[in-house]
Amino acid sequence: MSHRIITINRMYGSGGRLLGKALANKLGIHFYDHELIRLASEENDIPYEELLKVDEKKANQWRLPINEQMQMQPQYHFHPMNDVLFETESKIIERLGKTEDCIIVGRCANYILGDDCLSLFVYAPYEYRVKAVMERLGREEKSARALVKKMDKTRKSYYEFFTDQKWNNLDNYQLCIDTSRFSQDFLVNMLAEVYQTL
């Protein structure tokens, strides 16, 4: 690989984003998550808030968001904003792969970069993730359970729609990590060692 890129796909509540951010801080490299939306917003001159609504979501086949002002613009009339965002983020991710070492969370980055990245899948048992969401967001248990299921379903649907691959097929990743079994510090140090071998 021309630059050392780590991509992270993650189950909701597994701490994949937090792990990626901590690892990027330790390695002194850029961390891309919502920053990709901002870059896509600048490239397309579309407000960040509009793109945030469709981030990591596939378009609804029964309804285009035609009530949205941006969707009514001629260039987007028959092109769902979800697809606009994915196509733009794909170009940005490809560009990052050629220009810098970094960590990219979600957005099918492992699929886009192929063998030019170290792809991680971060997961944890359902009960562990429910508890983590309750603690992190201050949600009641019933609400946390519903949110974990909803977000996993959304991420799975998004990934499989744009890649034609199974989101939770571990064969699609080079390293799979159950965050319930190790401390974040241990995982950060371990991944930092792996990063040095890339």
Side-chain angles (χ1 to χ4, degrees):
M1 59 184 82
S2 54
H3 284 272
R4 293 180 291 183
I5 313 290
I6 296 176
T7 64
I8 301 177
N9 283 342
R10 70 281 185 226
M11 288 183 168
Y12 190 72
S14 65
R17 182 182 186 282
L18 298 174
L19 176 61
K21 195 167 181 62
L23 179 59
N25 286 338
K26 180 176 180 65
L27 296 173
I29 60 176
H30 282 111
F31 173 79
Y32 291 97
D33 183 16
H34 288 144
E35 177 72 6
L36 291 171
I37 307 172
R38 187 187 66 74
L39 293 171
S41 168
E42 291 172 358
E43 288 202 13
N44 287 312
D45 197 26
I46 298 173
Y48 174 88
E49 294 73 22
E50 295 298 319
L51 294 179
L52 188 60
K53 293 175 187 175
V54 297
D55 180 43
E56 290 197 284
K57 297 181 181 84
K58 74 171 191 173
N60 185 328
Q61 63 180 346
W62 303 111
R63 181 183 70 85
L64 290 177
I66 56 173
N67 57 319
E68 301 291 349
Q69 185 177 359
M70 289 303 302
Q71 194 70 63
M72 293 301 292
Q73 307 241 349
Q75 67 268 37
Y76 305 123
H77 240 99
F78 303 104
H79 202 122
M81 201 60 65
N82 314 64
D83 292 1
V84 172
L85 179 58
F86 177 77
E87 289 167 11
T88 305
E89 285 182 331
S90 295
K91 291 175 186 172
I92 293 168
I93 289 167
E94 288 173 349
R95 193 162 65 233
L96 290 172
K98 296 173 183 173
T99 57
E100 65 174 279
D101 293 357
C102 62
I103 294 173
I104 303 172
V105 172
R107 281 93 187 167
C108 306
N110 69 310
Y111 173 80
I112 294 164
L113 293 174
D115 292 334
D116 292 331
C117 68
L118 171 67
S119 57
L120 308 184
F121 187 77
V122 178
Y123 66 99
Y126 175 69
E127 295 298 332
Y128 174 91
R129 295 185 292 126
V130 168
K131 184 178 177 184
V133 169
M134 289 171 64
E135 292 172 357
R136 196 179 309 151
L137 302 181
R139 289 197 176 226
E140 297 293 325
E141 182 177 349
K142 183 178 179 181
S143 172
R145 288 183 180 279
L147 182 59
V148 168
K149 287 181 180 177
K150 176 185 174 185
M151 291 301 295
D152 277 354
K153 185 177 179 181
T154 298
R155 288 177 179 173
K156 179 179 186 289
S157 176
Y158 168 83
Y159 185 86
E160 295 182 359
F161 177 77
F162 284 110
T163 69
D164 287 324
Q165 295 181 359
K166 293 295 182 185
W167 174 66
N168 57 0
N169 179 355
L170 304 187
D171 289 340
N172 290 328
Y173 308 98
Q174 295 164 330
L175 189 58
C176 303
I177 297 173
D178 178 351
T179 51
S180 72
R181 297 187 174 270
F182 308 97
S183 70
Q184 185 182 87
D185 284 346
F186 174 84
L187 291 173
V188 166
N189 289 328
M190 179 193 76
L191 291 170
E193 289 292 325
V194 172
Y195 173 82
Q196 299 303 330
T197 70
L198 298 178

